[in-house]
Amino acid sequence: MLHSAGGPPPQDPREPVVGPLDLEAHVDDALAVQAVAFGLSDEEIGVRRHIVLRHLKSPGARALGARTPEGRLVGFVYGMPNDRTQWWSTVVAGPLRAEGFEEWLNDSFVITELHVLPLYQRRGIGRRLITSLTDTAGEARSLLSAIDTESPARSLYHRLGYRDLARNVHFPSAPSPYAVMGAWLPLPRL
């Protein structure tokens, strides 16, 4: 079957579908994805569970998930409008200020977490999750932090228009340095 010119091609019915995610109700499913994708211990999962549930109380916080046709969650993203009083923002403010990008903390939507199970990576799921979430943002730009290495995730973010605003940012208790990245919205389509 042909699709109409100018419209998106039909999606493979076996591919995961991106849609709204009640993250509070499915926090354990999402953290199971994050644990595999990011290599978290049970202790770290417990700590992150409380953080996610606290974030969801922030005004404008929202989430999307990628589910298989059978309903299995294989990826998720969530974020919220930046609040300079929140922990993440207070940690990155100094490095952003040092690089001349502190104004990026204003009028920005923060991607808090984006994770896709390894078996489902490199299929465009992460791209669909992040672009779909930021498409609904009322802010002019988006921020995120990613481990400061050349990785598939950082390559994706660069292709989506994110640029490094501050590198070698150290979060308390994180073993690796991070890069803070920012992009103007809407994100480009690949």
Side-chain angles (χ1 to χ4, degrees), residues 98-178:
E99 296 295 330
F101 293 113
E102 185 179 14
E103 76 279 357
W104 276 75
L105 292 171
N106 302 321
D107 195 26
S108 61
F109 186 83
V110 177
I111 301 299
T112 309
E113 299 289 350
L114 170 62
H115 300 285
V116 177
L117 289 175
L119 181 64
Y120 291 87
Q121 291 174 3
R122 299 182 187 266
R123 294 185 184 186
I125 296 168
R127 176 188 45 78
R128 288 196 327 257
L129 284 165
I130 195 170
T131 57
S132 296
L133 189 68
T134 58
D135 280 352
T136 62
E139 293 74 21
R141 49 195 165 200
S142 174
L143 289 169
L144 57 80
S145 54
I147 294 177
D148 196 359
T149 61
E150 295 311 314
S151 65
R154 288 207 354 112
S155 294
L156 169 66
Y157 302 145
H158 283 296
R159 286 192 313 273
L160 288 171
Y162 285 89
R163 64 184 175 126
D164 295 336
L165 302 177
R167 296 191 68 182
N168 201 27
V169 176
H170 293 273
F171 290 100
S173 77
S176 302
Y178 279 70

Side-chain angles (χ1 to χ4, degrees), residues 1-58:
M1 178 192 313
L2 298 174
H3 66 280
S4 62
Q11 186 168 338
D12 183 336
R14 297 163 296 177
E15 278 297 305
V17 174
V18 170
L21 173 65
D22 180 348
L23 188 53
E24 185 172 10
H26 298 282
V27 67
D28 293 323
D29 295 335
L31 288 173
V33 169
Q34 186 176 3
V36 172
F38 210 57
L40 299 179
S41 69
D42 288 343
E43 182 180 333
E44 290 170 312
I45 292 169
V47 169
R48 288 180 185 249
R49 187 177 200 283
H50 295 289
I51 292 169
V52 171
L53 294 174
R54 185 178 68 238
H55 283 160
L56 294 176
K57 293 181 175 138
S58 298

